[in-house]
Amino acid sequence: MSLINKEIGNFTVQAYDNGEFRKVSKEDVLGKWSIFFFYPADFTFVCPTELEDLAEKYEDFKAANCEIYSVSCDTHFVHKAWHDASERIKKIKYVMLADPTHALAKDFDVLIEEDGVAERGSFIVNPEGKIVAYEVIAGSVGRNADELFRRLQACQFVAEHDGEVCPAKWQQGAETLKPSLDLVGLL
């Protein structure tokens, strides 16, 4: 079953955010683009490489009116301890959501029940709180922040330009398509 256009559920969770603990709710997400970036667990192997890659691209996401929420089933205390202990994780300026009750992992359908951890899932959520793009990858394969950013830009473009679509490998500023009978079978 597809999650495209599914509205995210109501939630309130603890977060570690720039040296502070705070609560984050659905209301905080609405009104801007968001990335929910699920990963299995703190203090693991592939996860810090992905989170560091995302941290290095964070300013680009912010400039595109998009907030990043990394999410694992760890507590906000564990997020802080990992932030304090890891040179890679110290680079993170985006919000780290804690999901020890698995509420978010269940809502986004990425919970691995028997392990109590989340799959590697990346979700682009529009300002209305609806999922417009996502991917879920096996735990042993890391993701690429550049590709996630390209997808965000494409989702934003089509949201702002009714009737236009972005072809494969589309980059900001490149040509788009306007589907029509004239294009059927020609591309």
Side-chain angles (χ1 to χ4, degrees):
M1 185 166 115
S2 176
L3 298 177
I4 297 297
N5 287 320
K6 174 192 182 286
E7 185 172 345
I8 62 173
N10 289 321
F11 70 89
T12 300
V13 296
Q14 290 288 339
Y16 181 69
D17 183 14
N18 284 313
E20 302 284 336
F21 292 138
R22 70 179 181 96
K23 289 187 178 183
V24 174
S25 67
K26 180 180 178 178
E27 289 74 33
D28 296 313
V29 172
L30 298 176
K32 62 182 173 290
W33 290 84
S34 301
I35 302 290
F36 283 80
F37 196 82
F38 288 86
Y39 62 96
D42 293 358
F43 292 100
T44 55
F45 316 103
V46 176
C47 301
T49 66
E50 293 183 305
L51 296 177
E52 177 184 36
D53 184 40
L54 208 51
E56 291 170 353
K57 193 85 178 161
Y58 183 49
E59 291 303 318
D60 292 336
F61 282 93
K62 281 180 31 180
N65 191 33
C66 180
E67 186 55 69
I68 294 174
Y69 300 97
S70 65
V71 189
S72 77
C73 294
D74 298 290
T75 68
H76 55 300
F77 301 115
V78 177
H79 289 338
K80 183 196 182 313
W82 195 27
H83 193 273
D84 291 348
S86 169
E87 290 303 315
R88 288 178 184 228
I89 302 307
K90 281 181 184 167
K91 296 177 183 178
I92 292 175
K93 302 289 186 230
Y94 51 80
V95 182
M96 299 179 79
L97 299 181
D99 191 27
T101 66
H102 307 152
L104 288 170
K106 287 177 184 175
D107 188 42
F108 285 83
D109 200 23
V110 292
L111 180 64
I112 305 170
E113 288 272 349
E114 61 273 10
D115 296 332
V117 299
E119 298 277 9
R120 289 189 198 291
S122 307
F123 297 82
I124 299 173
V125 177
N126 71 15
E128 292 77 42
K130 292 184 179 181
I131 297 169
V132 295
Y134 69 98
E135 70 176 342
V136 180
I137 298 179
S140 56
V141 177
R143 294 161 284 179
N144 180 316
D146 289 329
E147 174 55 17
L148 184 57
F149 184 67
R150 185 198 72 79
R151 260 188 262 129
L152 168 69
Q153 289 181 309
C155 289
Q156 290 176 327
F157 183 90
V158 298
E160 295 169 7
H161 298 87
D162 190 38
E164 293 186 52
V165 296
C166 296
K169 297 184 181 183
W170 178 86
Q171 296 287 328
Q172 187 76 31
E175 257 187 71
T176 59
L177 302 171
K178 289 188 180 190
S180 69
L181 188 61
D182 296 341
L183 291 180
V184 174
L186 295 180
L187 298 176

